[in-house]
Amino acid sequence: MSKPNYRDIARHAGVGTATVERVLNGRGGVRPELVEKVISAARRLDYPRKLPETHRGLLRIEVLMVRPETSFYRRLSHAFERIAATLDPLVVVHRSFTDELNPEAIARRILSTDLSRAGLILAVPSSPVISAAVEKVNAQGLPVVHVVTRASEHVGEFIGIDNNAAGRTAALYISRMAARTGPVVAICHPIYQVHRDRIRGFSAYFHEHPSASSFEWLGFGGDEERSSADLLWSALEMYPGLAGLYNAGGANSALIKVLRRHPRGRDVFFVGHELTEYTRAALLDGIMDVVLDQAPEAQARRALDVILRRIGLTDIEPDRAPIHFITITKEGL
């Protein structure tokens, strides 16, 4: 009798072969009840590979993120997917996205009891209703980890870079390396604590190191391309001698287009976050000068390590230091 294959298991479990492949190779993204069906079918057919013990049950780790259209959150999601493929098949890493501008919907997702969860990883903005939801599920015993930004200041471990230091680093580069001195502006998304921390560090550096360049203006772009582009164009018109720009958040591609189009765009020393195809190209052609990349892959790995430690699947204590952000210039590509 031939050995059972994915098609045999799929037929017995009532799922597709792609689902079987994802489950048996630990790729995540499969509902826990389907994972259980696949593993049970594989055992009944005596599938020739080691399978987890059924008495341990499924351990579902939920990862809730926002803005799937952005390169950063796509990188973060793919990192969780890749790491999930290395875990025990009974550890299910379920990734999903929600609307960052709907805190009530985010809170409902956090409070949901539709499926049991062994841990919750959040990359969502903070608000009173979201914080209250986080604190409630944590009080019920659910381990919570915040990635990139904190959804609650009171409970849950934070995995991310030192954002105050990132803002200070951006200010240092602009003040020391810009081709000319003059006004400096910044753009951020105010609903994120990490953006506020970056701007705080950026402003503090200029206050502590007064020079011919000074931080003059802050715009709230909401990480939206049109509004961020309009803000930058207005700043270029408002400050003819604009020396530096710091973008503490997203929408870099829109800012790059403005700087390419504007007659004085190449005179501005531009520091932003995250290495993407847009920022890489902008570094190479001199529109962008420094990229501070916050290594979402490292954040995903650390977040899962913390959850696995909290639920008793590993004895290894994860590093508690902030994730090191990476400074990238044209010469480092």
Side-chain angles (χ1 to χ4, degrees), residues 18-19 22-23 26-32 34-35 60-61 80-81 84-85 91-96:
T19 300
R22 292 187 72 83
V23 171
R27 301 192 189 285
V30 180
R31 296 200 310 276
L34 295 185
V35 174
R60 180 175 182 266
I61 300 171
F80 278 115
E81 182 181 24
V91 177
V92 179
V93 180
H94 181 262
R95 298 163 292 121
S96 60

Side-chain angles (χ1 to χ4, degrees), residues 75-134:
R75 280 178 66 190
L76 185 64
S77 178
H78 290 157
F80 278 115
E81 182 181 24
R82 287 193 297 272
I83 297 164
T86 70
L87 302 178
D88 187 313
L90 282 185
V91 177
V92 179
V93 180
H94 181 262
R95 298 163 292 121
S96 60
F97 290 88
T98 188
D99 181 1
E100 71 173 354
L101 298 180
N102 191 339
E104 290 77 16
I106 295 174
R108 286 195 296 272
R109 292 286 292 276
I110 292 170
L111 294 168
S112 173
T113 57
D114 290 346
L115 293 169
S116 62
R117 298 174 294 189
L120 179 62
I121 299 174
L122 296 172
V124 300
S126 59
S127 78
V129 68
I130 293 173
S131 296
V134 173

Side-chain angles (χ1 to χ4, degrees), residues 38-103:
V38 169
I39 291 175
S40 296
R43 284 214 177 85
R44 288 197 305 272
L45 293 170
D46 197 23
Y47 186 63
R49 65 179 274 185
K50 185 177 179 181
L51 296 169
E53 294 300 319
T54 53
H55 73 269
R56 288 172 53 196
L58 290 171
L59 292 171
R60 180 175 182 266
I61 300 171
E62 183 174 9
V63 183
L64 187 58
M65 297 167 284
V66 295
R67 299 183 68 88
E69 75 280 5
T70 65
S71 57
F72 174 78
Y73 281 104
R74 285 198 301 271
R75 280 178 66 190
L76 185 64
S77 178
H78 290 157
F80 278 115
E81 182 181 24
R82 287 193 297 272
I83 297 164
T86 70
L87 302 178
D88 187 313
L90 282 185
V91 177
V92 179
V93 180
H94 181 262
R95 298 163 292 121
S96 60
F97 290 88
T98 188
D99 181 1
E100 71 173 354
L101 298 180
N102 191 339

